[in-house]
């Protein structure tokens, strides 16, 4: 009900008067209300000042990106699509393939100064299909390390780990010092993001030529690395929310997850020295890392040009300039354009070094890949189940697990 009340509030309030016949209302939906409510609340006054005749009706939020994708697919059948939806960067392809997402090229063509806000090319490419832009990236994240520096110092750890072997060594030092719960590696995060991170770390794309590289040496190394972390660090099977709470309470000294939680962590953490660090590699610096986050996609079925233009104005506003800067100010995500990162936020990262780590990793940015075909979500679940078997100790032989996962995935891939 929180999202509905927020939507009703935004729909009912306006800072400037406008004639009733000039007003336009668009429907908008986004995921992860606990992260993004504060962001849209911060954005709304400036948008209303610039566009007093446009009202934003915010629908109940999606739980996560899989829910966002499933909901949009259902609404396309029922004819109840929102005008603008925020979708995971790896979930746009299916909406494009099914004609649900609409090309933004006609709107971009009408914007003489569209490029002045300087969208990062690598970020914009995540929403580009067959040469046309279908979404504008809104919030972009990369995986980082979260560190309780007080606990590390008490255990005698002087430098942050840069490889997973060093992470396990750090865990052992913490365990020897009496820490019972040293680490959480966010294996369960949406879209197999951390599985893909370990693949990209080795320079291997998770998906190539319509196939998933589960039978590759890099995939076996990925599974072995997960097991090494779980076994070597005595990692407990926590949920992501449980891990965030444990870290904030000072009970969990190492956590590897999305940078998206940094802003929240700085607000809720207990009194300890909190730093972030670059995501470790397997043999050194990662060759690449998948970009997480979401993009604004137009899915309006309205035939009213005023509604579609209003949807474009909202979509453009939240992904550029001051609108995008609020992403960094209120969360740990990175804005998708240089105007926000390099100009508007010129002093921000110096004052908030915990949020700068992901920005420093931008040269490593790679695609957060969608799995091919109509069974993409089912493939996501297969890989999730495989990782869970490692975390719970059910799977011990990684070569055997690799063979099982490869067979299950191949059965779900499209046939020629």
């Amino acid at each position: 009900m929180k999202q509905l009340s927020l939507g009703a509030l935004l729909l009912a309030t306006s800072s400037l008067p406008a004639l009733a016949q000039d007003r336009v209302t668009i429907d908008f939906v986004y995921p992860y209300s606990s992260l993004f409510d504060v962001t849209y609340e911060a954005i709304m006054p400036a948008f209303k000042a610039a566009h007093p005749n446009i009202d934003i009706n915010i629908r109940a939020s999606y739980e996560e990106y899989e829910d966002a994708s499933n909901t949009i697919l259902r609404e396309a059948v029922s004819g109840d699509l929102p005008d603008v939806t925020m979708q995971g960067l790896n979930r746009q392809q299916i909406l494009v393939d099914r004609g649900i997402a609409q090309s933004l090229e006609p709107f971009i063509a009408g914007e003489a100064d569209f490029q002045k806000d300087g969208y990062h090319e690598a970020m914009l490419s995540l929403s580009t299909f067959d040469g046309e832009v279908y979404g504008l990236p809104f919030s972009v994240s990369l995986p980082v390390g979260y560190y309780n520096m007080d606990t590390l110092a008490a255990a005698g750890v002087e430098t942050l780990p840069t490889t997973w072997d060093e992470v396990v060594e750090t865990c052992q030092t913490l365990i020897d010092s009496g820490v019972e719960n040293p680490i959480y590696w966010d294996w369960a995060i949406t879209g197999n993001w951390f599985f893909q991170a370990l693949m990209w770390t080795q320079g291997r794309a998770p998906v190539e030529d319509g196939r998933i590289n589960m039978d590759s040496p890099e995939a076996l190394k990925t599974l072995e690395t997960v097991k090494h972390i779980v076994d070597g660090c005595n990692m407990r099977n926590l949920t992501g929310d449980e891990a965030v709470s444990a870290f904030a309470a000072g009970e969990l000294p190492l956590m590897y997850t999305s940078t998206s939680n940094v802003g929240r962590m700085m607000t809720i953490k207990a009194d300890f020295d909190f730093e972030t660090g670059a995501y470790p590699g397997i043999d050194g610096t990662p060759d690449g890392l998948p970009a997480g986050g979401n993009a604004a996609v137009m899915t309006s079925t309205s035939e009213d040009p005023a509604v579609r233009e209003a949807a474009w104005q909202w979509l453009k506003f939240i992904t550029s300039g001051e609108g995008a800067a609020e992403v960094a100010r209120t969360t740990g995500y990175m804005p998708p354009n240089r105007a926000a990162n390099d100009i508007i936020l010129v002093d921000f990262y110096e004052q908030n070094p915990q949020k700068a780590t992901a920005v420093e990793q931008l040269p490593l940015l790679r695609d957060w890949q969608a799995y091919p075909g109509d069974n993409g979500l089912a493939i996501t679940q297969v890989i999730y189940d495989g990782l869970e078997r490692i975390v719970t100790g059910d799977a011990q032989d990684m070569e055997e697990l690799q063979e099982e996962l490869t067979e299950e995935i191949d059965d779900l891939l499209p046939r020629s």
Side-chain angles (χ1 to χ4, degrees):
M1 294 302 294
K2 181 178 180 182
Q3 291 72 42
L4 291 176
S5 61
L6 173 60
L9 174 64
L10 297 177
L11 184 59
T13 60
S14 174
S15 57
L16 296 173
L19 296 176
Q21 62 266 30
D22 294 332
R23 303 196 72 80
V24 179
T25 299
I26 64 169
D27 283 354
F28 173 63
V29 199
Y30 60 90
Y32 297 116
S33 62
S34 63
L35 290 176
F36 288 115
D37 277 358
V38 64
T39 305
Y40 291 111
E41 288 168 356
I43 288 174
M44 192 58 63
F47 178 78
K48 291 302 295 182
H51 302 280
N53 66 313
I54 300 176
D55 291 319
I56 310 299
N57 179 43
I58 299 181
R59 296 185 182 181
S61 67
Y62 310 122
E63 291 184 11
E64 26 73 6
Y65 294 135
E66 280 74 25
D67 178 42
S69 182
N70 280 324
T71 299
I72 282 293
L73 293 174
R74 289 195 304 269
E75 290 172 340
V77 175
S78 65
D80 189 31
L81 286 167
D83 297 295
V84 178
T85 176
M86 308 303 286
Q87 294 287 314
L89 293 175
N90 68 327
R91 297 299 180 196
Q92 298 175 88
Q93 177 77 60
I94 191 171
L95 303 186
V96 174
D97 291 344
R98 296 196 180 188
I100 299 171
Q102 297 169 25
S103 173
L104 299 178
E105 292 296 334
F107 298 97
I108 292 173
E111 298 280 343
D113 59 351
F114 176 75
Q115 291 298 331
K116 77 176 183 180
D117 280 324
Y119 287 86
H120 285 286
E121 182 178 353
M123 295 182 181
L124 196 61
S125 71
L126 300 172
S127 299
T128 302
F129 303 90
D130 295 328
E132 295 195 15
V133 175
Y134 281 84
L136 293 182
F138 170 67
S139 58
V140 179
S141 63
L142 285 168
V144 298
Y146 289 56
Y147 298 99
N148 182 324
M149 301 304 292
D150 291 352
T151 302
L152 291 177
V157 177
E158 298 179 352
T159 58
L160 297 182
T162 60
T163 68
W164 294 112
D165 283 342
E166 291 178 5
V167 168
V168 173
E169 291 173 5
T170 301
C171 284
Q172 291 297 321
T173 299
L174 289 165
I175 292 169
D176 291 344
S177 72
V179 175
E180 296 181 356
N181 186 21
I183 192 174
Y184 182 72
W185 185 82
D186 204 352
W187 67 273
I189 200 167
T190 184
N192 305 145
W193 196 44
F194 266 31
F195 170 82
Q196 293 203 14
L198 285 180
M199 291 289 287
W200 279 120
T201 289
Q202 301 171 76
R204 187 69 183 266
V207 181
E208 290 179 306
D209 300 325
R211 290 194 69 256
I212 297 171
N213 288 320
M214 185 57 75
D215 58 352
S216 66
E218 291 84 1
L220 178 59
K221 185 65 175 179
T222 291
L223 297 176
E224 291 173 341
T225 300
V226 177
K227 183 170 173 53
H228 184 41
I229 295 168
V230 170
D231 292 349
C233 293
N234 295 339
M235 192 178 90
R236 297 178 182 178
N237 186 18
L238 304 176
T239 67
D241 286 342
E242 288 171 340
V244 168
S245 296
F247 186 90
E251 300 167 357
L252 182 73
L254 306 179
M255 183 171 67
Y256 297 90
T257 188
S258 167
T259 187
S260 60
N261 279 304
V262 171
R264 178 184 174 198
M265 186 61 64
M266 294 171 70
T267 300
I268 67 174
K269 75 176 182 68
D271 185 18
F272 61 84
D273 184 12
F274 161 50
E275 291 187 12
T276 60
Y279 196 71
I282 290 179
D283 297 317
T285 302
D287 285 347
L289 292 170
N294 56 67
V297 180
M298 188 181 297
T299 53
S300 179
T301 57
S302 175
E303 296 182 1
D304 185 347
V307 171
R308 294 171 61 79
E309 177 62 22
W312 166 247
Q313 293 301 328
W314 172 246
L315 191 153
K316 180 179 65 170
F317 190 90
I318 63 178
T319 61
S320 61
E322 279 290 348
E326 291 296 350
V327 174
R329 294 187 182 117
T330 56
T331 72
Y333 285 100
M334 295 173 287
N337 57 72
R338 293 184 181 87
N341 271 330
D342 301 341
I343 302 174
I344 298 171
L345 299 173
V346 63
D347 298 323
F348 177 79
Y349 290 111
E350 291 183 8
Q351 299 165 3
N352 297 271
Q354 296 94 335
K355 295 184 178 183
T357 300
V359 176
E360 293 164 0
Q361 294 182 147
L362 274 175
L364 301 178
L365 188 146
R366 303 290 185 270
D367 286 355
W368 184 17
Q369 293 183 307
Y371 302 130
D374 292 338
N375 293 322
L377 289 174
I379 294 171
T380 300
Q381 188 64 45
V382 167
I383 297 174
Y384 175 96
D385 291 343
L387 296 176
E388 184 175 41
R389 289 175 60 192
I390 300 174
V391 174
T392 60
D394 181 57
Q396 293 295 323
D397 187 326
M398 294 302 98
E399 291 186 359
E400 181 179 311
L401 178 61
Q402 180 186 33
E403 292 176 4
E404 292 174 5
L405 294 177
T406 299
E407 183 177 341
E408 289 184 62
I409 289 170
D410 284 348
D411 286 343
L412 293 168
L413 291 172
R415 302 302 177 193
S416 299

